[in-house]
Amino acid sequence: MKHQKPLRHATAGITLQCIAPLAAALASCFASGAQAADSDTIFVTATRQEARSNELLSDVTVISREQIEQAGQTSIEQLLAQQPGIEFWANGGPGSSSSVSIRGANSDHTVVLIDGQRFGSLMGGPDFSRLPLAQIERIEILRGPASSLYGADAIGGVIQIFTRRGEGPARINASTGYGSYGTSDSTLGVSGGNETVSYSLQAGHYETKGFSTVRNPQAPWGIYNADRDGFRNQSTSGSLAIRPAAGHEVGASFLLANGKSHYDDGATNDKAAQQDIGSVSLYSRNRLTSDWTSTLRVGRSFDDSTNLNNGIAADVFHTRQDQASWQNDIQLPLGRALIATEYLKEELSATSAALSRERSVKSLLTGWNGSIGDNRLQFNLRHDDNSQFGGKTTGSAAYGYQFSPELRAGMSYGTAFKAPSFSHLYYPGYSNPNLKPENSRNAEGSVTWEKQGQRLSATYFHNKVEDLIISPPPTYLPSNVGKATLSGTSLAYRGSHGDFSGGVTIDLQRARDDDTGRRLAHRADEQLKVHLAWTHGVTKLGGEWQAVGDRFNDATNRQRQGGYALLNLFVEQRLDREWTLFARANNIFDRDYEIVRDYGVPGASVFVGVRYQQK
């Protein structure tokens, strides 16, 4: 990375007039002869019950195992940022503090689940940097307020991560690769199963020498150090499911990772963050009658981090989230009902006695979804009793109409909330114990056309957030903004034709502080994302192009950051039924840009490897 190189902004702003023709051109490339239908994709997160894509009234996306494999050394945050309505920012390279925003919401407005278990630090939003992509089977993204299903924090949406599962005869899978910045990534696993039992066990090791976390020698806080800031992460995951009789299943899953990342804080200090994260859950799913399925689930997630100064432990934070739920899915003469109860205990212990806190949440929720002719409806209601902030009831209602087998439209309204984090409330010198919970009211509408693997959609949303919490520099003291409005439109297309598959997304949004009219920090008003792949025999070629409009680094809108565009390419060559060579090049034009002011980003990089999947 050349830190002195001036910024070459590929685009200082993206307008609908210049990108709409590109979307139309790409769609026309796949206008006929499509293959596999996306409507067969099964989602769980949108309703907490299994449903096909074309039955849903929510704005959802699934990232498949195939897409994950194509990501190469790309981080999970970067992969998420390629999806509609999502942005990410990071304070440096791999392993550094990173955030994901859905539809312009704060990073801690997203509920992250691992196999149904809540995950994240009680110090703030969830940290994705330690999650190993190679051990993830698929990722489901639910955009829009979802507190009526998942409780506090789901103002922007929900991201659920499913670890790998096994089926069929025992099979070994493995991969290894090496790339720029001294990056190596290796995985090894075994999985299998039959009608009675299925299992999976995976392990991985990732390491990179990285680049300087801070890129600007004149950074105002004076923490520049031109050394490389490396990152190492080790991970394991597994699952076991036993089906003693038809309609009955008990199982367990876990994901554990520990990593160490270095960062800049002074010209000579060796600063590092050691972090251990994990999620463990047990469940019993039982079909009690032909119309009634009961699911009991208990689990724990943890996030333990230690800041090291020249190898000596400084600040220490231990997060625990214990969760238990009992969900009942009931098939009615008309539609399906959902009745559930949940219990969540949040506990934080830290070096600072002021931060060591705990609270609990008891919840009841119910829902119904079904069809009446061409009409589709969904209703959800939830009450959360928080031991610190009292009771809160949220709800949502959605209606959709199927105009033809290909065309449908829908609209919805929902409320959501977020309780302030322990960090915002109690962190010494950077807290405000008088913070109030954030509340939101969201209305949206969508139109979707879908036929033979082609899918074209337009979604408009308008989310009013009251008492939005922001922590602006230079003091970083959190406060409740009176009101903020998050509104916008997402236009998305994906499809396939012959050997080609691809898609394009245009995100146009306005994330504004209603009191000042200023843009919320780090949010771009415009994004364009394009992906295209060509498969011919044993060869697959493809790439992604992502253009992001300008943003502001601060709440006062004085530190403007120019837009940027990145092009990534990948290739896979199948050697036989089991062995595949792959290579990926990210930021191939070596664009010099910033996501967060003064922090480093990767330049042009290449990663090459080999993958084995026993057949």
Side-chain angles (χ1 to χ4, degrees), residues 414-426:
T415 59
F417 77 104
K418 174 177 172 48
S421 69
F422 289 147
S423 177
H424 281 152
L425 289 167
Y426 308 118

Side-chain angles (χ1 to χ4, degrees), residues 260-320:
K260 183 178 182 181
S261 57
H262 293 261
Y263 60 93
D264 290 331
D265 189 5
T268 58
N269 289 343
D270 178 19
K271 288 295 186 74
Q274 176 72 45
Q275 190 170 11
D276 299 323
I277 61 98
S279 173
V280 180
S281 62
L282 307 171
Y283 69 90
S284 175
R285 184 177 299 112
N286 306 94
R287 193 172 67 228
L288 303 181
T289 71
S290 59
D291 297 325
W292 178 15
T293 299
S294 168
T295 304
L296 286 169
R297 184 183 298 273
V298 296
R300 163 176 282 191
S301 68
F302 63 88
D303 187 320
D304 297 337
S305 61
T306 303
N307 293 329
L308 303 171
N309 187 0
N310 295 320
I312 300 175
D315 295 327
V316 179
F317 310 94
H318 296 292
T319 283
R320 296 289 183 273

Side-chain angles (χ1 to χ4, degrees), residues 34-368:
Q35 296 175 350
D38 183 71
S39 59
D40 290 335
T41 303
I42 300 297
F43 291 84
V44 177
T45 310
T47 60
R48 296 182 60 135
Q49 299 170 325
E50 290 188 352
R52 286 187 169 85
S53 170
N54 60 357
E55 298 174 340
L56 296 175
L57 297 171
S58 307
D59 185 8
V60 297
T61 297
V62 63
I63 303 176
S64 67
R65 180 64 206 159
E66 180 182 11
Q67 291 172 284
I68 291 171
E69 289 180 346
Q70 291 171 5
Q73 85 280 24
T74 304
S75 69
I76 186 172
E77 307 98 297
Q78 291 169 319
L79 178 60
L80 289 168
Q82 295 170 12
Q83 313 308 314
I86 296 183
E87 299 173 87
F88 99 100
W89 49 89
N91 295 345
S96 63
S97 175
S98 61
S99 304
V100 168
S101 169
I102 300 179
R103 289 184 173 180
N106 287 349
S107 60
D108 55 2
H109 288 167
T110 299
V111 169
V112 176
L113 306 171
I114 299 179
D115 294 329
Q117 171 69 38
R118 271 190 175 241
F119 167 80
S121 171
L122 298 178
M123 292 293 294
D127 185 355
F128 294 92
S129 64
R130 266 64 175 174
L131 297 177
L133 269 179
Q135 296 175 42
I136 296 174
E137 184 67 33
R138 76 181 191 278
I139 303 172
E140 292 184 3
I141 303 167
L142 169 61
R143 286 174 285 271
S147 286
S148 59
L149 282 168
Y150 295 100
D153 307 339
I155 289 178
V158 179
I159 296 174
Q160 180 153 204
I161 295 166
F162 296 90
T163 55
R164 298 184 70 165
R165 297 294 187 264
E167 61 180 4
R171 298 182 178 95
I172 295 174
N173 63 273
S175 68
T176 188
Y178 187 81
S180 303
Y181 301 109
T183 301
S184 62
D185 191 4
S186 299
T187 65
L188 177 64
V190 60
S191 61
N194 51 39
E195 293 182 356
T196 304
V197 62
S198 57
Y199 58 91
S200 175
L201 183 62
Q202 309 287 326
H205 179 88
Y206 174 93
E207 190 164 357
T208 181
K209 295 179 180 178
F211 47 84
S212 181
T213 299
V214 177
R215 55 172 287 130
N216 182 7
Q218 284 78 45
W221 50 92
I223 59 175
Y224 176 74
N225 187 350
D227 68 330
R228 286 187 168 190
D229 296 308
F231 172 54
R232 171 195 51 78
N233 197 52
Q234 296 175 318
S235 56
T236 57
S237 64
S239 65
L240 175 66
I242 300 173
R243 293 169 285 275
H248 298 271
E249 179 177 300
V250 294
S253 65
F254 72 90
L255 188 154
L256 308 173
N258 66 85
K260 183 178 182 181
S261 57
H262 293 261
Y263 60 93
D264 290 331
D265 189 5
T268 58
N269 289 343
D270 178 19
K271 288 295 186 74
Q274 176 72 45
Q275 190 170 11
D276 299 323
I277 61 98
S279 173
V280 180
S281 62
L282 307 171
Y283 69 90
S284 175
R285 184 177 299 112
N286 306 94
R287 193 172 67 228
L288 303 181
T289 71
S290 59
D291 297 325
W292 178 15
T293 299
S294 168
T295 304
L296 286 169
R297 184 183 298 273
V298 296
R300 163 176 282 191
S301 68
F302 63 88
D303 187 320
D304 297 337
S305 61
T306 303
N307 293 329
L308 303 171
N309 187 0
N310 295 320
I312 300 175
D315 295 327
V316 179
F317 310 94
H318 296 292
T319 283
R320 296 289 183 273
Q321 294 192 77
D322 294 321
Q323 183 176 332
S325 66
W326 180 30
Q327 178 170 320
N328 297 274
D329 303 315
I330 303 170
Q331 188 68 42
L332 302 174
L334 181 62
R336 286 186 299 175
L338 164 70
I339 302 173
T341 181
E342 287 187 348
Y343 174 79
L344 175 67
K345 182 180 179 181
E346 300 176 326
E347 184 177 0
L348 173 66
S349 59
T351 306
S352 169
L355 266 175
S356 298
R357 307 275 176 160
E358 67 176 54
R359 62 190 178 199
S360 61
V361 184
K362 300 175 183 178
S363 308
L364 291 172
L365 61 146
T366 184
W368 176 87

